Each structure stands twice: as structure tokens, then as C-alpha cells.
Amino acid sequence: MADSESVAPAQILRGQRFDISKGGLLGRDVKVVAFHLDHPHVSRVHAKITCAANELNLSDMGSANGTFHNGLQVTRPIALSPGDTIDVGPFSLDFDGKYLISRSRADNVQLCCSGIDYEVNDNNTGKKIQLLLQIELVFNPGEFVCILGPSGSGKSTLLNLLSGRRLPNKGNVYLNGRDLHRNFAAMKQDLAVVPQSTDLYRSLTVEQSFRFTSELRLPTDLGKDELKAAVDETLQLVGLEQRRHVRISHLSGGQLKRAGLGSELLAEPTLLFLDEVTSGLDEHSDSEMIRLFRSLADRGKTLVCITHNLSHVEDNYHLVAVLTVGGRLAFLGTPGEAMNYFRVKKLADIYLALQTQDPESWATSFLVAFVVPEVRSRAHA
């Protein structure tokens, strides 16, 4: 799958066309710019296109988050050529020689990986240890995905690869059809990794913590009213509007998890990776968090989660990806399809079912039955 090949579904491919033959400013301030890009990651006046001697040049205007040309940050004027891609915030702008075709990744991200292998060296023997082998996955916009598998199946490694934090030894990860690792600097603001532990200033109130985070992560040219609106919206989104004046140190376990999630959501990522986020919560708090995650997916965000608590997966997740020991893909589908495929009555019994065949057999069976006709077709759904 080539980097230039578009594999995204129809809603991702739709875009707005800008005639840039005479140049103009790009940015968030509709009163000033010629090409309006409405998102908090975009500065009021973000970039400029100038036309001179029949050549179009792209310059960054001191933007907070940078302007990127074919995946590289623009530090000086760059001449544009047909086929170039400009990234401004979550907007991918493809140049065809006269027009920019603008497609937004905001709540509109498809994540694919193709032929992913990952191995490390054993420190004792020096031999290679295979952690992931030939992983093929497609997660579409608005899907809530759970990665399941026993210890040693490579779940955390896969999450690190999908989030751009590690490079595969073989294969590629694609975000809306573009190589994530090759374009990571331009796309990293679309992603958020929510860890198991929450690192917040415990002496601050929830509102103060959110305001501090927003000032760090959002463009400095956002006005006070815009920052306040972002904080208020996030407080409501994570269900902490009634706890806004409570110190972080006085929150319950579930509320603390919500505060940690809210800190990530302030930057308005589209793709969230959740690594055992509900670990340590009681059953009720775990259920509430899972429903919150599902509500984010229903808004268009794509969420990929590792969890050991499977009690709420069937009712809330769209997909489960099952890995075997040794990092092979044994299944990708809905929770109900997974139970049928493994012939179990509850998802937790999948772990016992995996022990009835060797990992290679599970991977081969799924590859033949599903991957070629089904997983690849999802990329064009």
C-alpha cells in the first residue's frame, strides 16, 4: 500500500477547494484570511501563499503549531509543486497545480496498519524475539476498539506502534492513507495517549488544572473567552462541571480518571489510545468511563483501548482485535462476531479458546477466512 494511495472511506475524501492562483493567507481568523481553516490548532494567521513569477510559495507566519510541507516543517519559503501536501493543524491540503483540496482530520480519522512486524534483541542471548508478526488492521472514524490478548501477545507494543511512538521493523501505519511515522510531526496533534496513571497538579482545582493545560497546549493567540469556552466545554464533556472548584487531590478515583482524560481532550485530538485507563476502578466507575469513551466515539473520534476488564466490552465497543502469544492477529470484528468465531458464550473465555490451537494456526485461520476479503475491504468502506 503506497503512501500516496488513498484508502480512506468516502467521508474522509470529501474536501473543500481553494483557488490559490493569486495567493493569500491561511488561518483561523475569518475576517483576515483568504482561506479559512476553523480549528483551535490553527493560528489566527497561520501561513501565507504568495504568487510571483508564476510560482507559488508557502511560508509559515509564526504559527503556534507549525506549517508542514510534505511532512516537513516549513522554516523558510517553499515553492509549491502539483502533488504537494500542506498540513495546517488537522487540515491536509493537497495541491493540484491551482487548487488546494482541504480535508480535515478533526473527528474524521481512519487508522490502518499493513504487514506490521516488530522484533527486539534478547539482552541475554542476542537472538531476535518476535513481538508482532504480520498485523493487518483497519479502524474507521467513530469506532471504539478493544485490543485483547494474553500476556506476551504484544498489546502494548502494538499500541505504541499505532500511536507513532515506535517504528515497526516491517510494514506501515497509515492515518487517512498517509504514512503516520513519515508524517508524524505534522499529524502528532491528532493523537493522544491516555496512560493508566494520571499526572496532574494535585493542589489545583479541576478548572485551574484545565485552564493551565489549555494555555500550554492551545495556540497562544486564543483569546480569554475562547480558552474559557474550551475549558467549560471539556468540563461538561467529561462530566466534571459540578466538580470544577474541587482540588485534584480531593477527587475520587473515577473523577481523577475523568480529569486526566479531560486534560488530553482540551487539545481536541481525534485519535485516542487508552492504555488500561480504567485499571483500579470499581465496577460502577469502570462502566461510567467506558460509556464516556463510547460517547466520544459517537462524536466521531476513533478510540483504541487495552483493557483487562471485559464486562462492558460487548455493549459498548464496536470492534475487538484479538492477539495471540507471539503477536499474531487471531481475530478482528465485533464482540458478537468474536464470540461466535471462538465458540464461546462470553468474551473472557476467548483466552481459554486461544489455548486450544497454536498461535500460528489461529493467525492462519483468520487470515484465510477474514483478512483478505474483510479487513482490506473495510479500508474502502
Side-chain angles (χ1 to χ4, degrees):
M1 183 160 50
D3 183 46
S4 60
E5 179 186 355
S6 175
V7 297
Q11 72 267 31
I12 288 174
L13 298 179
R14 290 194 295 269
Q16 184 178 0
R17 290 166 64 89
F18 298 135
D19 183 346
I20 63 167
S21 57
K22 297 181 180 179
L25 297 172
L26 298 86
R28 196 180 75 249
D29 191 340
V30 69
K31 297 179 181 179
V32 176
V33 301
F35 313 114
H36 183 222
L37 303 172
D38 187 18
H39 193 274
H41 289 173
V42 180
S43 295
R44 292 187 183 279
V45 179
H46 197 106
K48 178 174 66 174
I49 295 174
T50 56
C51 181
N54 295 320
E55 183 177 79
L56 292 170
N57 288 278
L58 171 70
S59 302
D60 183 76
M61 297 294 288
S63 65
N65 294 315
T67 302
F68 297 85
H69 173 262
N70 295 336
L72 300 177
Q73 188 164 359
V74 175
T75 57
R76 57 179 176 79
I78 298 287
L80 294 178
S81 300
D84 286 350
T85 297
I86 302 167
D87 285 286
V88 174
F91 295 93
S92 176
L93 309 161
D94 297 324
F95 181 50
D96 67 2
K98 180 181 179 181
Y99 293 94
L100 286 179
I101 295 89
S102 169
R103 300 184 178 95
S104 176
R105 295 186 295 272
D107 293 347
N108 192 37
V109 158
Q110 180 198 65
L111 180 68
C112 304
C113 66
S114 177
I116 290 292
D117 289 358
Y118 189 78
E119 60 185 20
V120 294
N121 290 322
D122 188 304
N123 291 330
N124 296 320
T125 66
K127 295 182 179 179
K128 298 290 186 181
I129 302 175
Q130 194 78 46
L131 300 183
L132 294 170
L133 183 63
Q134 287 295 297
I135 302 296
E136 301 266 349
L137 296 169
V138 179
F139 305 148
N140 282 324
E143 289 187 329
F144 186 17
V145 184
C146 183
I147 300 177
L148 305 180
S151 178
S153 60
K155 299 185 296 297
S156 294
T157 300
L158 179 59
L159 204 71
N160 286 332
L161 289 168
L162 294 178
S163 61
R165 293 185 292 177
R166 289 188 186 177
L167 275 168
N169 297 114
K170 183 180 177 182
N172 301 89
V173 179
Y174 297 95
L175 210 65
N176 286 7
R178 296 171 62 197
D179 189 293
L180 172 63
H181 292 92
R182 194 182 304 171
N183 297 280
F184 184 73
M187 294 178 161
K188 63 183 180 181
Q189 291 178 334
D190 299 330
L191 317 177
V193 179
V194 185
Q196 180 176 339
S197 59
T198 302
D199 187 17
L200 299 172
Y201 290 106
R202 300 180 68 84
S203 62
L204 298 178
T205 67
V206 177
E207 182 176 17
Q208 289 170 336
S209 177
F210 281 15
R211 188 164 63 244
F212 176 72
T213 301
S214 67
E215 291 172 353
L216 284 178
R217 297 191 178 184
L218 296 177
T220 55
D221 62 6
L222 282 172
K224 291 183 179 180
D225 290 343
E226 291 174 297
L227 288 173
K228 183 179 184 304
V231 169
D232 289 344
E233 181 180 351
T234 304
L235 284 167
Q236 183 174 11
L237 183 61
V238 298
L240 291 176
E241 64 273 22
Q242 300 301 318
R243 309 290 287 171
R244 65 166 65 221
H245 300 304
V246 176
R247 291 183 186 275
I248 296 293
S249 59
H250 294 165
L251 297 178
S252 68
Q255 292 166 351
L256 188 60
K257 299 282 189 180
R258 288 172 179 266
L261 175 63
S263 293
E264 298 297 334
L265 292 176
L266 278 164
E268 297 200 20
T270 287
L271 179 56
L272 283 85
F273 297 94
L274 313 170
D275 191 358
E276 294 284 358
V277 175
T278 63
S279 177
L281 295 182
D282 59 63
E283 186 72 14
H284 177 70
S285 297
D286 180 272
S287 175
E288 286 188 332
M289 286 298 295
I290 296 301
R291 288 199 298 270
L292 173 56
F293 296 146
R294 175 55 189 262
S295 72
L296 296 175
D298 291 340
R299 287 169 166 253
K301 298 188 187 298
T302 305
L303 292 89
V304 183
C305 176
I306 294 175
T307 182
H308 287 295
N309 187 347
L310 305 185
S311 57
H312 307 295
V313 171
E314 187 176 355
D315 294 332
N316 293 283
Y317 288 76
H318 296 100
L319 293 175
V320 293
V322 181
L323 301 179
T324 67
V325 172
R328 295 172 181 265
L329 182 66
F331 184 79
L332 175 67
T334 68
E337 290 169 343
M339 290 187 288
N340 289 335
Y341 183 74
F342 290 101
R343 298 180 181 178
V344 297
K345 294 183 178 180
K346 55 183 181 179
L347 283 172
D349 290 341
I350 288 177
Y351 293 104
L352 294 175
L354 287 173
Q355 298 176 22
T356 63
Q357 296 184 46
D358 62 81
E360 184 176 0
S361 296
W362 280 117
T364 300
S365 297
F366 180 65
L367 181 69
V368 172
F370 288 92
V371 170
V372 174
E374 177 66 20
V375 172
R376 291 192 180 278
S377 70
R378 282 174 49 78
H380 302 275

